[in-house]
Amino acid sequence: MVAGWSRLVAEMPELLYIMGTARSGSTILEILLASGDSVFGGGELSCLIKDGFVHNTTCSCGVACMDCEVWGKVVEDMCLDRQELEAWAALQQRVDWHDGFFRQMFRLLPDKDLERYRTLTSRLLEAISRTTGCAMVVDSSKYAGRALALARVVGAGIKVVCLTRSPSGLMASFQKQNKNEQRPKSPTAALAYYLVTLASLRLAIWRLGRENVFMLRYETLMANPEEVLESIGCWAGIDIKPTLRRLRRQKDFDVGHLVTANRLRKRGRVRFNPSCSTIFPRGITARMVVILMNLWRLGLGF
Ligand SMILES: [Zn+2]
C-alpha cells in the first residue's frame, strides 16, 4: 500500500523477499503483507524492468506502467534511457534467474556486472522508497538467485520468507491450463523444476543464514492464515493488524501496483478465500513423480 507521497524517506528501504516454488501463493501472501501502512508490495521486481519499464505492461492499477502513479515516477527518478533499461533487464536475468544462482555460487559473474547490478538495484529501491514513502518493500520474485544477490551483492537489509508447496499440490497446479501464467508442465518438466528449485532454495538458506529465513508452506498459510501472518509480522517488524481486521471482516484487498504476469494483477481487488482442500495430480506417471519429489523434499529437509 502507498502510505503517502513523502519525499523524506530517501535511504534504502528494508526488504521482505518472498523466495520459493511457483504456484505456491507468493502473490496473495505479498498482497496480505503489504496491505498495512508503510509497506509497499512491489511484485516480482526481477521481472519489473523487462515487463514494466521496457514493455510498458498494464499495471494492476489499470494504466500502463509508464503512466502509473508509482512506476511512472520511479522510472522518471531513475533517469535511464531505453537502451540502458534493456541492458538492465538482461543483467537481472543473468544474475537473478535459476542459472544466475549457479553463476553467483561459482563466481562466474564479472565484477563490472555485479557493480552495475548493485548500483541499479540500490537506485531502484531508493526510488521506490522516495516515491511511496514506505520504509519496507515486499519483493515476491521467488528466485533463490535474487535473494542471494540482494543480500550479498546489493548488501540490502533483507528478510526472506521461503514459501514452498507440497509436491502433490504443486504437480496438480502445474497440470492446470492457465493462459495468463506459466504453461502446464509435464511430469518430467515438473520434476526437473522441483529438483533444481529446491536445491537452490536449500543452498540459498545456508548462505543467507537460517535466522534470516522464515520457512512457510502453502498448506500452512491456507490452514492458519491469521496465525501465519501474525508470526511473519512479528518476525519481520510489520504491523499486521490492518490486514487481520480486513480478513476478519472478509473485505477485499487492493492488489496494489503489480506489473508482472499474474492473473491477480488483472483483478485490481481480491478477496482472500483460503482453501484447505487437497488437490491430487492426474495420471500414474505424475503420481510416481510426486513420490520422487517427496523423497527429494525430505532429503533436503523441507
Ligand atoms: Zn500502478
Side-chain angles (χ1 to χ4, degrees):
M1 175 182 279
V2 180
W5 303 104
S6 166
R7 293 232 153 215
L8 295 175
V9 184
E11 69 273 11
M12 178 107 75
E14 284 184 75
L15 263 177
L16 181 62
Y17 185 76
I18 302 174
M19 160 175 100
T21 45
R23 310 280 181 99
S24 300
S26 58
T27 306
I28 190 65
L29 178 62
E30 173 185 322
I31 291 168
L32 294 171
L33 291 171
S35 68
D37 294 336
S38 277
V39 183
F40 176 72
E44 297 181 26
L45 294 182
S46 65
C47 298
L48 169 72
I49 313 308
K50 183 177 169 203
D51 291 352
F53 296 174
V54 175
H55 294 145
N56 202 19
T57 312
T58 305
C59 179
S60 55
C61 66
V63 299
C65 185
M66 292 300 171
D67 300 320
C68 164
E69 60 178 345
V70 173
W71 299 124
K73 284 190 173 70
V74 167
V75 78
E76 196 181 304
D77 191 313
M78 299 288 297
C79 293
L80 297 171
D81 63 28
R82 187 174 176 85
Q83 212 173 2
E84 289 169 314
L85 289 171
E86 283 174 358
W88 182 12
L91 175 62
Q92 268 199 328
Q93 195 166 331
R94 282 202 302 282
V95 178
D96 288 348
W97 292 20
H98 294 303
D99 45 358
F101 177 84
F102 295 100
R103 283 195 191 100
Q104 289 184 64
M105 290 297 284
F106 296 107
R107 300 179 183 278
L108 298 175
L109 289 158
D111 286 347
K112 69 173 176 37
D113 276 4
L114 294 175
E115 185 53 41
R116 185 93 182 124
Y117 183 94
R118 180 183 303 122
T119 305
L120 289 169
T121 307
S122 305
R123 281 175 57 192
L124 173 68
L125 293 170
E126 287 160 9
I128 293 173
S129 184
R130 267 195 297 276
T131 302
T132 63
C134 290
M136 179 175 277
V137 173
V138 184
D139 175 353
S140 58
S141 298
K142 298 191 287 290
Y143 291 111
R146 182 163 174 86
L148 213 54
L150 288 169
R152 297 173 64 86
V153 180
V154 180
I158 178 174
K159 284 188 178 290
V160 177
V161 175
C162 182
L163 179 63
T164 54
R165 186 169 184 170
S166 72
S168 179
L170 192 63
M171 180 68 83
S173 180
F174 277 144
Q175 288 180 330
K176 282 187 192 166
Q177 289 287 341
N178 189 335
K179 289 177 189 164
N180 296 321
E181 294 180 80
Q182 294 170 342
R183 280 173 295 190
K185 285 190 196 295
S186 67
T188 321
L191 176 64
Y193 169 84
Y194 195 73
L195 295 180
V196 172
T197 304
L198 233 61
S200 313
L201 295 177
R202 178 47 70 202
L203 286 167
I205 293 164
W206 167 59
R207 296 298 288 268
L208 292 164
R210 181 64 186 82
E211 67 281 6
N212 296 313
V213 183
F214 186 103
M215 303 296 285
L216 177 61
R217 294 186 74 179
Y218 169 83
E219 288 78 9
T220 312
L221 174 65
M222 292 297 140
N224 304 299
E226 290 193 22
E227 201 178 302
V228 165
L229 291 167
E230 270 181 333
S231 301
I232 297 176
C234 187
W235 172 77
I238 299 173
D239 178 11
I240 214 74
K241 286 195 276 301
T243 306
L244 296 180
R245 275 198 293 273
R246 292 195 81 78
L247 269 183
R248 284 167 192 155
R249 291 175 191 161
Q250 295 194 310
K251 290 195 165 185
D252 288 350
F253 287 87
D254 189 347
V255 170
H257 295 273
L258 307 181
V259 297
T260 42
N262 190 297
R263 64 199 149 81
L264 289 182
R265 174 171 64 89
K266 296 182 178 165
R267 292 200 205 160
R269 301 188 69 77
V270 66
R271 188 166 300 177
F272 181 57
N273 291 317
S275 164
C276 297
S277 60
T278 311
I279 50 172
F280 295 101
R282 298 182 312 275
I284 187 73
T285 312
R287 288 179 191 171
M288 297 294 284
V289 167
V290 165
I291 294 172
L292 293 177
M293 289 162 76
N294 268 313
L295 289 172
W296 188 244
R297 177 180 66 79
L298 289 169
L300 291 177
F302 280 92

